[in-house]
Amino acid sequence: MPDTIRHADLIGLESAALRRQFRADAYRGHTAGLAPGRLQCNLAIMPAAHAADFEEFCALNPVPCPLAGRTATGDPTLPALGHDIDLRRDLPLYHVYRDGMLADRVPEISELWRDDMVGFAIGCSFTMESALMRAGFPMRHIERDVTVPMYRSAIETRPAGPFSGAVVVSMRPVHRDRIDEVRALSARYPMAHGAPLHVGDPAEIGIDIETPDWGSAVPVEPDELPVFWGCGVTPQVAMMTARLPLCISHAPGAMLVTDLDDGTHERNEQ
């Protein structure tokens, strides 16, 4: 079904109210700019037989894969992130992978959930974006109501078990005079990928900035530089590389919005 509400209609809603809208299949778009001050998370769901290897993969790659929570086997809830969270229904859109290939895009996964499933919540840069916007940094993808551009980089993750592959990065243009400021501010949010991985020439990390692998390209003005952060789509690449018979993720840009205050994850408060 098409969205029955627009992104603009969701501005100002609390996290629990947003989840109710997603649960009702009223919206299937991106969550950038929503619930400022709340931690947003990427999602990875897989059989328990692979969960230990995936958790190690996250530990070995904490910048693109900052682990915020893990479910008990067979339990789709994450009470530490929100008392009513149900991972089967509370995201706008899901990607379903079979044998390493994207097989479906669906608004809920109740029929796919099994008693041996484990879900992982992984911090998202949308959390850090709220802090940047409060500091006066424009977010061009939010201004244009598109999903942030994301790219497979030439940077490789550290493997664990069957999980490996490229680090995915997201890009936001930043004024040349504010690069040091954006580095310092985003570094305070390790659960939102922390400081940028790269600033400047996209070719240095194997990227054509005009052709994102996910999301939509946005212009970089002459007085700006492209700034690249680690991205929580990295686990999706790792799951595709592992070629598991079945695994599930969020659709890029369509996040789990939690009840956690993003300030609790600032480095200077840990």
Side-chain angles (χ1 to χ4, degrees), residues 43 60 68 71 100 112 115 131 175 179 181 201 244 263-264 266 269:
L43 181 66
L60 291 171
T71 72
L112 296 172
D115 289 342
H175 195 282
I179 299 300
E181 185 182 353
D201 186 0
L244 304 185
T264 64
E266 294 186 21
E269 292 185 6

Side-chain angles (χ1 to χ4, degrees), residues 3 19 32 36 49 56 61 78 84 87 103 108 131 143 148 152 171 178 189 192 209 216 233 238-239 252 260:
D3 294 348
R19 293 195 298 270
E56 181 183 4
N61 300 280
L78 275 171
D84 64 338
L87 295 185
E108 59 98 20
E143 294 170 353
V148 67
R152 293 178 192 248
M171 190 282 292
R178 302 191 73 184
Y189 292 83
I209 202 169
S216 301
V233 176
M239 289 191 292
L260 290 187

Side-chain angles (χ1 to χ4, degrees), residues 154-239:
I155 306 167
E156 288 292 317
T157 57
R158 296 178 64 187
F163 300 103
S164 63
V167 172
V168 177
V169 294
S170 59
M171 190 282 292
R172 296 157 187 84
V174 176
H175 195 282
R176 293 170 181 268
D177 294 342
R178 302 191 73 184
I179 299 300
D180 288 344
E181 185 182 353
V182 82
R183 287 184 193 274
L185 181 54
S186 56
R188 297 171 61 193
Y189 292 83
M191 288 303 297
H193 307 300
L197 290 177
H198 181 69
V199 175
D201 186 0
E204 291 182 2
I205 56 171
I207 286 171
D208 176 358
I209 202 169
E210 299 297 331
T211 57
D213 295 285
W214 300 271
S216 301
V218 297
V220 179
E221 302 299 335
D223 59 353
E224 296 174 329
L225 291 173
V227 179
F228 299 89
W229 280 265
C231 176
V233 176
T234 302
Q236 293 189 33
V237 172
M239 289 191 292

Side-chain angles (χ1 to χ4, degrees), residues 38 56 129 232:
R38 299 299 181 188
E56 181 183 4
E129 283 182 351

Side-chain angles (χ1 to χ4, degrees), residues 15-179:
S15 50
L18 287 169
R19 293 195 298 270
R20 287 194 293 271
Q21 294 289 344
F22 305 156
R23 196 177 302 161
D25 195 19
Y27 178 76
R28 297 185 181 183
H30 70 85
T31 58
L34 299 181
R38 299 299 181 188
L39 181 69
Q40 294 199 32
C41 287
N42 306 272
L43 181 66
I45 295 171
M46 66 196 65
H50 303 285
D53 283 336
F54 185 78
E55 189 163 2
E56 181 183 4
F57 177 79
C58 292
L60 291 171
N61 300 280
V63 173
C65 308
L67 188 59
R70 170 182 171 167
T71 72
T73 301
D75 184 355
T77 68
L78 275 171
L81 303 188
H83 76 279
D84 64 338
I85 285 176
D86 183 341
L87 295 185
R88 300 169 298 184
R89 303 182 295 147
D90 283 359
L91 280 71
L93 195 64
Y94 299 80
H95 275 186
V96 180
Y97 296 92
R98 297 185 185 275
D99 299 316
M101 301 294 292
L102 179 61
D104 207 356
R105 290 163 52 89
V106 295
E108 59 98 20
I109 57 167
S110 298
E111 293 184 1
L112 296 172
W113 187 270
R114 305 188 316 222
D115 289 342
D116 69 333
M117 288 297 194
V118 174
F120 293 89
I122 297 158
C124 170
S125 58
F126 288 174
T127 303
M128 171 268 297
E129 283 182 351
S130 296
L132 295 182
M133 288 189 292
R134 289 195 297 271
F137 289 91
M139 293 290 122
R140 193 146 299 138
H141 59 289
I142 295 177
E143 294 170 353
R144 294 177 172 234
D145 192 19
V146 297
T147 299
V148 67
M150 293 164 272
Y151 308 82
R152 293 178 192 248
S153 75
I155 306 167
E156 288 292 317
T157 57
R158 296 178 64 187
F163 300 103
S164 63
V167 172
V168 177
V169 294
S170 59
M171 190 282 292
R172 296 157 187 84
V174 176
H175 195 282
R176 293 170 181 268
D177 294 342
R178 302 191 73 184
I179 299 300

